[in-house]
């Protein structure tokens, strides 16, 4: 788990500076090294007697800023065994230093605090070392792209952006070496390869701000992982650049945000459940048409998505390198999809946009995100809100609520999703967010009945209010810890309103009433949704046995009535004949809804 966290963390831009070894006196490794005259890159490898122990000016503590340190165990620093490990606590060193054959400077661990060993405090050729586990080498090698230096190039390009504008990845790749060369290489050889990369970056960066000596060096450990060095050790600049490589392997990013945040990779892969569609009079695969036209002609016609969004019909290929899986499919397909997914990265995190999929499990109400968490074995957050798809795709302003516990993931995911037209607020209330998303679809059926009966705005507003009240009662029954404030987020009241006015559940429920019992829900779904799926009816069926089992029907008269109209032939007008004596409001000022100071 620690390893997983470390890997994922390393891909986050928030982790920018944390792998850096810094002396606790406040200097970073670089500033220490600048106590002496800074030699050229070529000279650095020769500085100090190779393999001879020397005394530095200071013994002391070093901080591992990016959480990972490189060490050798045992008394003898000449050992070939190099280990990477996660570490948050400072490292205590003696004043003993040892310079390895490739110029790496090792400090002896203080035996009073650690088991015998050595820690790398300066990297090859340079004054400071930054070790970053970015991507596993096998992942890089099996990418359809030519070679991992694409990612390196991404960093180099970002480094040059300020002076030259974007440098294309293609042009940088021309200078790069083959992956096989690295696989067969020793770790020291990898450092030779880095020179080629840095030359490549330097050639493209000729402004006074980025001299060639500021280029990045990137090496690859034979056992996996990448190692990034800044040549002359300008730590601040390096940190800025680090952001661009740290999360650059996020395979799934939100279009638009990739342009704003260079730390996310451009590619956005969408697993597209393949089906045949008629396109310009010819039967073709949906994914093929999408990749050609960038339009999902079946599910989101009329919207052209940017060129870096790619459809992948092969589920296993689509997910195998993803760092973030974003779940947006009707909940009835979730379990089957997970079963067919094959291997995913250990460090993956999921975000579910799925509204529905509730299940009673041993008296507890299970959520779709619980199922995903159980099947996938990794962190699952939820993103819900007033987000009718075609409006979001058209770039109209809206908000969403991210429910997630883990702060590290929260920061990255907010950055991934949040933009000017899609504002994301994070809360740590997963059940509150997710259940609001699921239940509002049932209330929307009530709003649709109301429209089918051609009642006016006041009536619908009353239904929305009562619906929100019942949502809260239901949710609190199973999850008493759910916060009142969650209902005021986009996932609560806002999603309820938009769905009751513009959603598919509303639309189908209106048609259901107008058909006066002549059409089934399946028929209406087929006629009106063109292959899309209705979630509110399924969710109503999911919660009904739960409400019965827990004697909630009396407390939830509107949800009960909606179910009875939808599935038990109750007359639609019953929606406005709710029993009297219901609580007039679940939201009194004194129950915490308006959070007290
Ligand atoms: N459409 C919307 O406005 C929003 C939808 N959601 C939620 O996202 C989830 C998905 O909804 P939509 O994208 O609207 O889907 P949808 O209701 O339009 O259903 C069609 C989708 O299901 C996929 N599909 C069909 N058969 C499949 C199968 N056998 N296996 C896997 N996938 C299959 C199709 O490829 C297509 O992407 C739902 O839980 C919904 O509540 C959340 C926010 C907004
Ligand atoms: O969830 C949605 C908007 O946030 C979409 O709602 P419908 O499924 O009712 O269209």
């Amino acid at each position: 788990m620690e390893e997983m966290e470390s890997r994922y963390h390393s891909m986050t831009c928030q982790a920018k500076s944390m792998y850096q070894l810094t002396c606790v006196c406040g200097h970073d490794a670089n500033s220490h090294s600048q106590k002496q005259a800074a030699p050229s890159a070529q000279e650095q490898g020769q500085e100090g007697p190779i393999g001879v122990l020397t005394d530095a000016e200071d013994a002391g503590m070093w901080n591992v800023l990016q959480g990972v340190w490189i060490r050798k165990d045992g008394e003898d620093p000449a050992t070939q065994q190099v280990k990477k490990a996660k570490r948050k606590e400072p490292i205590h060193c003696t004043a003993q230093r040892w310079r390895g054959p490739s110029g790496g400077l090792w400090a002896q661990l203080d035996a009073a605090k650690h088991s015998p060993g050595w820690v790398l405090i300066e990297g090859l050729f340079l004054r400071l070392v930054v070790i970053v586990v970015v991507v596993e080498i096998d992942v890089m090698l099996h990418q359809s792209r030519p070679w991992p230096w694409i990612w390196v190039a991404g960093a180099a390009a970002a480094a040059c952006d300020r002076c030259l504008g974007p440098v294309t990845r293609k042009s940088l790749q021309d200078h790069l070496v083959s992956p096989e060369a690295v696989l067969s290489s020793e770790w020291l050889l990898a450092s030779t390869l880095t020179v080629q990369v840095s030359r490549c970056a330097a050639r493209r960066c000729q402004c006074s701000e980025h001299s060639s000596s500021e280029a990045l060096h990137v090496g690859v450990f034979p056992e996996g992982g990448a190692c990034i060095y800044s040549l002359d050790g300008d730590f601040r600049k390096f940190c800025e650049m680090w952001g661009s490589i740290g999360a650059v392997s996020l395979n799934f990013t939100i279009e638009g945000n990739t342009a704003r945040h260079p730390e996310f990779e451009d590619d956005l892969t969408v697993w597209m459940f393949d089906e045949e569609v008629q396109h310009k009079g010819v039967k073709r695969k949906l994914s093929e048409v999408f990749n050609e036209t960038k339009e999902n002609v079946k599910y989101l016609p009329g919207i052209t998505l940017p060129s870096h969004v790619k459809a992948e019909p092969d589920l296993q290929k689509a997910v195998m390198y993803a760092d973030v899986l974003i779940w947006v499919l009707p909940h009835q397909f979730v379990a089957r999809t997970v079963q067919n997914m094959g291997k995913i990265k250990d460090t993956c995190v999921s975000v579910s946009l799925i509204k529905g999929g509730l299940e009673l499990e041993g008296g507890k109400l299970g959520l779709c995100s619980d199922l995903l968490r159980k099947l996938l074995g990794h962190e699952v957050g939820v993103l819900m809100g007033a987000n009718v798809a075609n409006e979001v795709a058209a770039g109209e302003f809206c908000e969403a609520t991210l429910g997630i516990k883990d702060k590290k993931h929260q920061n990255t995911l907010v950055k991934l999703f949040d933009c000017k037209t899609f504002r994301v607020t994070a809360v740590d209330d997963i059940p509150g967010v997710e259940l609001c998303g699921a239940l509002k679809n049932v209330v929307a059926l009530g709003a649709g009945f109301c429209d089918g009966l051609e009642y006016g705005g006041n009536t619908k507003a009353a239904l929305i209010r009562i619906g929100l009240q019942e949502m809260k009662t239901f949710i609190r029954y199973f999850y008493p810890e759910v916060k009142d404030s969650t209902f005021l987020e986009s996932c609560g009241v806002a999603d309820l309103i938009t769905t009751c006015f513009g959603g598919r559940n509303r639309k189908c429920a209106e048609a259901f009433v107008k058909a006066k019992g002549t059409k089934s829900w399946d028929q209406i779904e087929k006629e009106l949704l063109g292959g899309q799926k209705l979630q509110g009816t399924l969710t109503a069926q999911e919660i009904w046995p739960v409400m019965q089992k827990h004697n909630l029907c009396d407390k939830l008269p509107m949800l009960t009535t909606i179910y009875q109209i939808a599935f038990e032939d109750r007359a639609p007008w019953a929606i406005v004949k709710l029993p009297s004596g219901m609580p007039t409001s679940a939201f009194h000022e004194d129950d915490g809804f308006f959070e007290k100071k």
Side-chain angles (χ1 to χ4, degrees), residues 105-395:
L105 186 65
W106 298 80
Q108 187 183 44
L109 297 175
D110 186 343
K113 302 277 183 183
H114 307 271
S115 54
W118 296 80
V119 56
L120 186 63
I121 55 169
E122 285 182 14
L124 307 168
F125 306 109
L126 28 132
R127 281 309 180 175
L128 84 151
V129 64
V130 180
I131 308 299
V132 184
V133 181
V134 179
V135 261
E136 288 182 351
I137 195 163
D138 61 337
V139 171
M140 300 194 271
L141 296 178
H142 291 103
Q143 283 277 356
S144 53
R145 283 164 270 198
W147 155 236
W149 295 129
I150 299 170
W151 291 326
V152 175
C160 297
D161 264 359
R162 280 174 288 176
C163 46
L164 289 182
V167 176
T168 65
R169 290 178 174 200
K170 175 80 189 71
S171 62
L172 284 164
Q173 280 166 44
D174 294 342
H175 300 265
L176 303 174
V177 289
S178 75
E180 288 74 23
V182 171
L183 244 203
S184 61
S185 73
E186 296 296 327
W187 113 271
L188 296 181
L189 178 56
S191 68
T192 319
L193 303 179
T194 67
V195 179
Q196 297 184 4
V197 176
S198 75
R199 276 207 204 108
C200 154
R203 195 156 36 237
R204 259 142 245 283
C205 187
Q206 289 152 354
C207 74
S208 55
E209 205 185 344
H210 300 123
S211 66
S212 60
S213 65
E214 285 177 353
L216 281 183
H217 274 201
V218 179
V220 176
F221 294 110
E223 78 274 21
C227 169
I228 306 175
Y229 303 101
S230 158
L231 196 62
D232 81 341
D234 182 327
F235 184 57
R236 275 165 298 113
K237 279 194 187 115
F238 179 78
C239 285
E240 283 167 30
M241 292 184 241
W242 150 238
S244 63
I245 203 154
V248 87
S249 63
L250 279 174
N251 276 347
F252 204 145
T253 57
I254 297 308
E255 63 102 348
N257 269 12
T258 57
R260 278 183 288 278
H261 301 302
E263 62 270 31
F264 297 130
E265 189 174 302
D266 279 350
D267 291 355
L268 195 153
T269 307
V270 177
W271 170 54
M272 198 165 275
F273 178 77
D274 232 353
E275 42 193 312
E276 293 208 312
V277 286
Q278 281 286 340
H279 183 61
K280 298 187 177 162
V282 184
K283 258 195 172 173
R284 298 194 51 202
K285 292 217 152 136
L286 182 62
S287 60
E288 263 175 35
V289 178
F290 179 85
N291 283 332
E292 240 170 68
T293 62
K294 299 297 167 192
E295 181 186 352
N296 187 328
V297 291
K298 177 159 183 188
Y299 294 111
L300 200 57
I303 304 276
T304 305
L305 295 172
S307 58
H308 63 265
V309 184
K310 293 189 189 76
E312 173 54 73
D314 183 326
L315 174 62
Q316 299 195 356
K317 277 193 196 155
V319 301
M320 76 199 314
Y321 302 122
D323 294 297
V324 181
L325 294 172
I326 299 168
W327 293 84
V328 201
L329 73 169
H331 66 260
Q332 56 267 44
F333 304 129
V334 168
R336 209 181 323 150
T337 304
V338 178
Q339 275 154 21
N340 295 330
M341 253 169 48
K343 193 164 165 28
I344 53 169
K345 287 175 82 169
D346 291 346
T347 49
C348 221
V349 57
S350 280
V351 183
S352 169
L353 278 62
I354 298 167
K355 293 171 177 171
L358 312 177
E359 205 178 9
L360 204 55
E361 256 192 32
K364 190 172 176 279
L365 185 68
L367 311 172
C368 189
S369 66
D370 293 335
L371 177 72
L372 282 170
R373 206 171 290 115
K374 194 163 95 188
L375 296 176
L376 296 165
H378 65 227
E379 176 85 12
V380 180
V382 294
L383 185 74
M384 310 274 152
N387 305 138
V388 171
N390 53 347
E391 295 175 25
V392 177

Side-chain angles (χ1 to χ4, degrees), residues 461-495:
L463 293 182
I464 291 172
R465 188 197 70 79
I466 298 165
L468 186 61
Q469 173 182 307
E470 292 196 13
M471 280 165 58
K472 185 189 168 199
T473 305
F474 182 96
I475 293 171
R476 276 287 187 76
Y477 180 86
F478 292 100
Y479 292 91
E481 74 280 13
V482 165
K483 298 182 181 105
D484 282 345
S485 54
T486 302
F487 296 93
L488 278 186
E489 296 291 350
S490 181
C491 63
V493 63
D495 198 8

Side-chain angles (χ1 to χ4, degrees), residues 355 385-388 440-441 495 499 503-505:
K355 293 171 177 171
N387 305 138
V388 171
K440 63 86 195 175
N441 282 339
D495 198 8
T499 318
R504 296 167 295 185
N505 290 289

Side-chain angles (χ1 to χ4, degrees), residues 377-574:
H378 65 227
E379 176 85 12
V380 180
V382 294
L383 185 74
M384 310 274 152
N387 305 138
V388 171
N390 53 347
E391 295 175 25
V392 177
E396 292 174 18
F397 175 80
C398 64
E399 295 180 305
T401 316
L402 175 71
I404 191 151
K405 288 261 171 239
D406 184 314
K407 280 274 176 227
K408 283 195 312 253
H409 294 321
Q410 178 182 306
N411 292 337
T412 307
L413 293 171
V414 167
K415 195 162 188 187
L416 184 65
F417 289 106
D418 180 74
C419 66
K420 274 190 199 143
T421 54
F422 192 86
R423 283 270 99 109
V424 177
T425 303
V427 298
D428 68 357
D429 181 3
I430 295 178
V433 173
E434 187 168 352
L435 281 167
C436 278
L439 295 180
K440 63 86 195 175
N441 282 339
V442 182
V443 178
L445 295 176
F449 297 151
C450 171
D451 286 345
L453 295 163
E454 299 183 0
Y455 295 152
N458 293 347
T459 308
K460 198 194 270 190
L463 293 182
I464 291 172
R465 188 197 70 79
I466 298 165
L468 186 61
Q469 173 182 307
E470 292 196 13
M471 280 165 58
K472 185 189 168 199
T473 305
F474 182 96
I475 293 171
R476 276 287 187 76
Y477 180 86
F478 292 100
Y479 292 91
E481 74 280 13
V482 165
K483 298 182 181 105
D484 282 345
S485 54
T486 302
F487 296 93
L488 278 186
E489 296 291 350
S490 181
C491 63
V493 63
D495 198 8
L496 182 60
I497 292 171
T498 197
T499 318
C500 288
F501 283 94
R504 296 167 295 185
N505 290 289
R506 185 219 64 80
K507 181 172 160 183
C508 290
E510 179 183 26
F512 180 83
V513 170
K514 291 209 157 144
K516 299 195 162 103
T518 61
K519 287 183 184 173
S520 69
W521 286 110
D522 281 353
Q523 197 179 348
I524 291 170
E525 183 187 79
K526 269 202 192 85
E527 282 175 14
L528 294 187
L529 298 189
Q532 295 183 13
K533 305 284 179 233
L534 202 53
Q535 303 285 275
T537 43
L538 282 185
T539 307
Q541 288 172 303
E542 283 164 8
I543 62 168
W544 179 241
V546 176
M547 286 162 52
Q548 285 181 309
K549 183 150 194 257
H550 288 267
N551 297 320
L552 289 172
C553 300
D554 289 348
K555 294 192 182 79
L556 304 169
M558 196 169 99
L559 291 177
T560 300
T561 307
I562 289 170
Y563 178 83
Q564 290 168 339
I565 296 169
F567 297 106
E568 292 185 342
D569 293 333
R570 192 152 179 214
W573 49 258

